[in-house]
Amino acid sequence: MLEKINKLLEEVEGFAATTKEQVEEYRIKWLSKKGEVSILFDDFKSVPAEIKKEVGQKLNQLKNKAQEKINHFKETFDSEKSSNTDIPDLTLPKFPTLQNGSRHPLSLVKNEIIEVFAKIGFTVSDGREIEDDWHNFTALNTPENHPARDMQDTFYVNIDPEMVLRTQTSSVQVHVMQNQKPPIRTISPGRVYRNEAISARAHCQFHQVEGLYIDEKASFADLKQTLLYFSKEMFGTETKIRLRPSYFPFTEPSAEMDISCTICKGKGCNICKHSGWVEILGCGMVDPKVLENCGIDSNKYKGFAFGMGIERIAMLKYQVKDLRLFFENDVRFLKQFTSA
Ligand code: DAH
């Protein structure tokens, strides 16, 4: 029996596996229930007592060695397998799934406003964001002591000459009137700035669309009809409008326009503060003095103008309750407009 054990021990010591399958083959051969080591343990029972100790020690040595060898090669092949995971997985799709981008909600609303007015002949005029005091205020009949000129509202970029970050896109109408001959029919979308504390309802930068119409015959009824058309296109054919008398330095008469609440359809809700109406823009007949300031004969021409905040329209359209969301660019917010 000793001879048998020694022979097997030699085999075990000289063993080197080249494949995983070989390791398994030898594990079965030596260590399984019916393997050679087990058989030897069975035979051990009949070994004479005087050599039992010696044979027993050898047998244990064989068993441990065989187990050691098998474990060693098993580990070698297992770690090789895990390092193979660096090999690219050829079953993956050709391109990783890319998330679709989306237009910013303010761009969507701006483009929609442009489209609505384009259908009735309004062109788009661009202006500048850094504006001189004359275009932003003086030409628009804003007296020097007007509160809108207050340092608290306006960001001054330069004091002499006075240059400001425009506080309203109305400044673009001044440029248009200076450079074009009537008839004029144009809208001017763009960013404006005011020195205001940032909150859910106010921001130091926001967007406006200015509208200007100048012709020999332009009446308040034309203004009203234009704005009714716009409101129905933008918020649905059911939408009603109402004009309330107001004051702007550059229009006379002036009005503010409300639309019937898009959320409760005029019944009264939180958004319209239970009045059934929400204010969306300012408007009026261009003050003759403004026409004259810009080189247009106020005896021959009349005009109407209007101005609205894009954020306000977007908040109503998409029921956004916090203005700041438009400027934070959190993708979780923007993602919602992917299919819009
Ligand atoms: N510029 C005004 C504002 O920022 C909005 C406005 C009101 C524009 C009446 C107009 C207008 O053209 O006629 O509040």
Side-chain angles (χ1 to χ4, degrees):
M1 182 151 177
L2 255 181
E3 217 177 285
K4 230 179 174 179
I5 295 173
N6 280 334
K7 223 172 135 210
L8 206 51
L9 201 55
E10 254 174 56
E11 184 183 293
V12 169
E13 272 167 354
F15 173 73
T18 47
T19 62
K20 216 181 149 187
E21 288 72 33
Q22 227 176 354
V23 181
E24 183 58 10
E25 188 190 319
Y26 275 81
R27 188 193 64 79
I28 292 167
K29 181 172 183 254
W30 298 330
L31 298 169
S32 67
K33 265 191 182 159
K34 287 181 183 161
E36 291 175 59
V37 177
S38 303
I39 293 169
L40 283 170
F41 268 100
D42 280 345
D43 295 347
F44 178 69
K45 286 169 204 152
S46 48
V47 166
E50 48 297 1
I51 55 164
K52 229 175 178 140
K53 197 177 165 197
E54 190 192 352
V55 176
Q57 276 174 352
K58 265 272 182 255
L59 197 51
N60 273 332
Q61 192 189 342
L62 171 69
K63 187 188 155 197
N64 293 340
K65 197 85 204 163
Q67 192 68 63
E68 230 172 72
K69 275 269 168 161
I70 296 294
N71 288 349
H72 167 73
F73 283 107
K74 232 182 179 170
E75 268 167 35
T76 313
F77 290 117
D78 281 352
S79 67
E80 263 178 29
K81 193 187 159 207
S82 62
S83 65
N84 280 351
T85 50
D86 290 345
I87 295 170
D89 181 354
L90 299 177
T91 63
L92 284 175
K94 196 164 160 202
F95 297 109
T97 355
L98 295 174
Q99 298 243 345
N100 280 342
S102 55
R103 284 205 193 281
H104 194 282
L106 294 180
S107 300
L108 292 171
V109 171
K110 181 187 81 176
N111 292 343
E112 203 178 332
I113 296 172
I114 292 173
E115 265 176 46
V116 170
F117 281 107
K119 284 195 219 159
I120 51 169
F122 279 76
T123 59
V124 173
S125 305
D126 251 345
R128 51 180 78 143
E129 289 183 24
I130 296 179
E131 192 56 275
D132 57 76
D133 171 89
W134 191 81
H135 283 88
N136 195 77
F137 293 126
T138 312
L140 289 162
N141 207 19
T142 307
E144 218 151 281
N145 54 356
H146 194 280
R149 283 187 170 220
D150 200 300
M151 289 289 276
Q152 278 175 5
D153 292 324
T154 309
F155 287 114
Y156 282 81
V157 179
N158 198 20
I159 298 298
D160 192 17
E162 275 186 352
M163 299 294 286
V164 301
L165 292 181
R166 68 176 176 197
T167 58
Q168 50 187 354
T169 42
S170 304
S171 57
V172 187
Q173 34 160 299
V174 179
H175 288 282
V176 172
M177 285 191 270
Q178 280 182 313
N179 296 315
Q180 289 178 30
K181 286 199 162 50
I184 294 167
R185 228 186 286 184
T186 195
I187 57 166
S188 325
R191 189 175 294 156
V192 298
Y193 303 86
R194 286 184 200 176
N195 195 358
E196 292 205 25
I198 296 170
S199 71
R201 300 167 62 88
H203 210 286
C204 58
Q205 54 166 336
F206 54 101
H207 299 78
Q208 287 186 332
V209 177
E210 182 75 15
L212 178 70
Y213 182 101
I214 310 276
D215 209 342
E216 284 183 29
K217 286 181 193 153
S219 67
F220 203 92
D222 296 330
L223 167 64
K224 191 177 173 190
Q225 197 57 34
T226 305
L227 296 178
L228 178 64
Y229 155 79
F230 163 73
S231 305
K232 285 178 182 281
E233 288 283 310
M234 203 65 194
F235 298 103
T237 47
E238 316 267 273
T239 312
K240 295 188 183 69
I241 63 166
R242 75 173 184 190
L243 292 162
R244 285 178 288 103
S246 185
Y247 169 78
F248 297 101
F250 34 86
T251 43
E252 183 57 39
S254 302
E256 276 171 318
M257 191 187 86
D258 300 338
I259 56 165
S260 49
C261 180
T262 50
I263 314 297
C264 65
K265 310 279 176 232
K267 288 192 198 83
C269 68
N270 280 345
I271 302 293
C272 62
K273 299 201 194 88
H274 301 280
S275 70
W277 297 95
V278 277
E279 184 201 317
I280 63 160
L281 55 80
C283 60
M285 300 306 291
V286 181
D287 192 307
K289 216 165 155 201
V290 174
L291 294 176
E292 294 296 335
N293 286 344
C294 303
I296 289 180
D297 182 353
S298 64
N299 291 316
K300 193 170 176 201
Y301 293 105
K302 309 240 166 305
F304 63 76
F306 52 89
M308 65 187 100
I310 300 182
E311 281 79 358
R312 178 129 187 91
I313 309 272
M315 284 170 96
L316 283 174
K317 227 178 144 60
Y318 299 121
Q319 296 181 35
V320 176
K321 299 221 168 67
D322 192 327
L323 184 73
R324 289 168 289 199
L325 287 165
F326 292 122
F327 300 99
E328 282 163 1
N329 283 330
D330 185 329
V331 281
R332 289 169 301 181
F333 172 68
L334 297 178
K335 222 160 61 173
Q336 299 174 78
F337 302 91
T338 311
S339 59

